[in-house]
Amino acid sequence: MGGAEAAVVEAASTAAAAEAAEGGEDGRMEGWLYLIRSNRLGLQTSRKRYFVLEDSALRCFKAAPAPSSSSSKREDPVRSAVIDSCIRVTDNGRESVHRSVFYIFTLYNASNHYDQLKLGARSSEEAARWIRCLMESALKSPRKDEHVVACSHRRWQAFRLSRRSNRMHSIDWTILSSSHNDPMASDVIAPSAWTIFGCTNGLRLFTEAKDGGSRGKYWDDHPAIMAVGVVDANSEDIFQTLMSLGQSRSEWDFCLREGRVVEHLDGHSDIIHKKLRGDWLPWGMRKRDLLLRRYWRREDDGTYVILYHSVFHNRCSPEKGYIRACLKSGGYVISPVSQGRQSVVKHMLAIDWKFWKSYLLTSSAKYITIRMLGRVAALRELFRAKNGNCACMEFSSGELMRDMGLPQGGNERTKIEMQSANECERLEGPVEGPQGGSNRHLSSTGSLVQLNDATDEFFDVPDESEYDQREAMWSSDESTHAADQRHAKLSSAAVFVRKLHDLAVQKRGYVDLQGAADADNGPCYYGHTLPKDSSCTMPSSWSMTDPTTFLIRGESYLLDRQKIKAENTLMQMVGADWIKSDKREDDLAGRPGGLVQKYAAQGGSKFFFIVNIQVPGSTTYSLALYYMMDTPLEKVPLLERFVNGDDTFRNSRFKLIPYISKGSWIVKQSVGKKACLVGQALEINYFRGSNYLELGVDIGSSTVARGVVSLVLGYLNNLVIEMAFLVQGNTQEELPEFLLGTCRLNYLDASKAVSLDEC
């Protein structure tokens, strides 16, 4: 009965946590989570603990505390912490720890780089609720004079949190949108790139416009096609079913013969190999297989995005009897509707089947793609036959495991498959960082990695009662855990370089920032190294974007949560830099001879706002956007408070709205169109001058946008990127919001970046 009672208690606590996450009156969040730690042998371990988040205090218990109404004495927590404005939360995705599958998230302290807390939840929904509540609590920024009463038998110890986390990969930008969930799925007004052309088996079929991301005829031979249908199941169950490559997939996927995970890259990305059946292909057509890089994320509204694109991998060469097709872009978007009881499933494919045109016409290739999209109908019937109860927790062997065939520090080769058969280059794979563990840098008190008592810190294997049926499906190879530990030691910069090296160089659609040829672009004149082109036709140029494209908080936002079109911008964009160097370049506005200093010498009331986006690597690239206004700062109170405020206030208010107006579907889905609070995820270095404020956004400081950045960099010279910047308004006096400025970047080319070493 003990195990059954524990299961009942855990189920009840999970339900309570869900209710709290949805906005309980007391703002309380509680439930069972798992502490993920590494022991002295370098193996990851998990320990089940009950956590309570209330009034900006996070408390940890060994057992679920009794309700205060039924207990005369309040139970003391094992450890406690204050969640303040310095706390950041990152989503690490799926991991396997001792055959148990967890959805991991990490808390770290932006002011102390050596402390962290890594927690695991049983489902992505539960992890997302905790992430959202922790971020909301951090944004409330409790005053420094607020203290929690010490525990009776031990001194109150605030968790010391570190951002030296092992894998803070591919977190969704939309999860940082604000402290409240906006009702809109997009902050951009954009025309649909899809046109309906048919309906079959209850699925609507759409085709993508020809200019959907390829600058010409590049996609014409293999157009993107999308099928849309409604499935009677919640989005998480559908997500689990689509991610599984086990035997249960044969119940709905009539295309797949066999699937496996070649390499687990991180909690959100892996390399998978799929062998397709031949009986559904046209007669005489040889069997095909696909080697794909798979990336997934969960958005704040419960939507799941799964993206695929073809890759090369040196440990999965083409097999005899199969022709390897090329998936240029593809994936699923699973959006909950009807209060989560149903989901709209969108399945998109742009695939080159690799056949001779004399043998099979383009129309036949389109027919094969449409047949493959019919899996959405099969998925719908699967859940309908099982009354919506078809959550698939079955995974193929080693699905979350890394390949261990290479020695530590060795190079692996993974390259993205070219969209043209004769164009490809190789990139060197991951370069492992130093092995020094972060634990030895921590003090002996208050550390999250020392959360457990010393007596049970090591060899912490979960009891058999903690396993459920899905856990038995996972491999228990101990060497894999050692690999996970080695990966945990990678520095942020090393992991970022690894991500960049995962990309292949391609002349059409892909760019290798590390291998770009150095070009002599003349002397540097800060503010003018990237040319302006109002016609938006010149590659590697900039212009301003129509502000009505973006949605901002209106005057009544606090009452109705509705956003309105932006009518104009406070500032005008006056220049841009696209530069490269062997180090990070800060405070460009303060350098002599630049645009800002030229106006400073002339005097006047002109004020400049500069956003310097820094992408580190063996070569550091900087994209600096210059905005100017004539209005005195004191006449714009919110902006004045932002410019003259402290970094904590700035980080909680600086907001970016991204938009890929022209580009591949996979990149558009990766970036999204939702506003994000950049300072809550990335380190921003602020430089205040007499007539300017420069924001140095260091992409290498955190992995919050790493999955997004890797895709964007790969397709960079085939993208039109539009952005808007603003200071978020949280009070009635600060509404309606206003855009600081907008920009449009046309087909940036890394080879055209100005090298500071040559200036």
Side-chain angles (χ1 to χ4, degrees), residues 93-143:
R94 299 189 305 166
E95 291 187 23
S96 176
V97 180
H98 279 288
R99 296 177 297 163
S100 298
V101 183
F102 297 109
Y103 289 83
I104 308 296
F105 56 96
T106 303
L107 287 78
Y108 67 97
N109 194 324
S111 63
N112 186 332
H113 297 183
Y114 296 99
D115 298 325
Q116 67 177 10
L117 173 63
K118 189 174 183 180
L119 300 173
R122 284 302 193 186
S123 70
S124 60
E125 297 279 354
E126 186 180 2
R129 288 195 295 266
W130 276 101
I131 291 172
R132 182 170 64 249
C133 289
L134 287 165
M135 295 184 68
E136 290 176 1
S137 181
L139 286 172
K140 292 177 182 178
S141 283
R143 299 190 304 272

Side-chain angles (χ1 to χ4, degrees), residues 11-12 64 99 134 145 224 277 295 320 332 384 449 547 551 567 699 706:
R99 296 177 297 163
L134 287 165
D145 58 346
R277 300 166 59 95
Y295 160 79
K320 184 177 181 181
Y332 296 88
R384 181 176 295 175
V449 295
L551 295 174
E567 296 181 356
I699 301 295
R706 191 156 296 153

Side-chain angles (χ1 to χ4, degrees), residues 681-718:
L682 299 173
E683 179 181 334
I684 302 180
N685 298 300
Y686 298 90
F687 302 92
R688 179 71 164 96
S690 60
N691 66 332
Y692 70 89
L693 176 67
E694 179 174 326
L695 283 66
V697 182
D698 185 2
I699 301 295
S701 64
S702 171
T703 56
V704 63
R706 191 156 296 153
V708 175
V709 169
S710 64
L711 277 173
V712 171
L713 292 179
Y715 291 84
L716 190 60
N717 62 355
N718 270 315

Side-chain angles (χ1 to χ4, degrees), residues 21 24 117 134 183 262 273 312 331 364 391 441 521 524 537 579 622-623 699 721 731 759:
L117 173 63
L134 287 165
V262 177
H273 181 220
F312 286 116
S364 298
H441 299 293
N521 290 301
C524 298
T537 58
I579 58 179
S622 293
L623 174 66
I699 301 295
I721 305 171
T731 66
C759 295

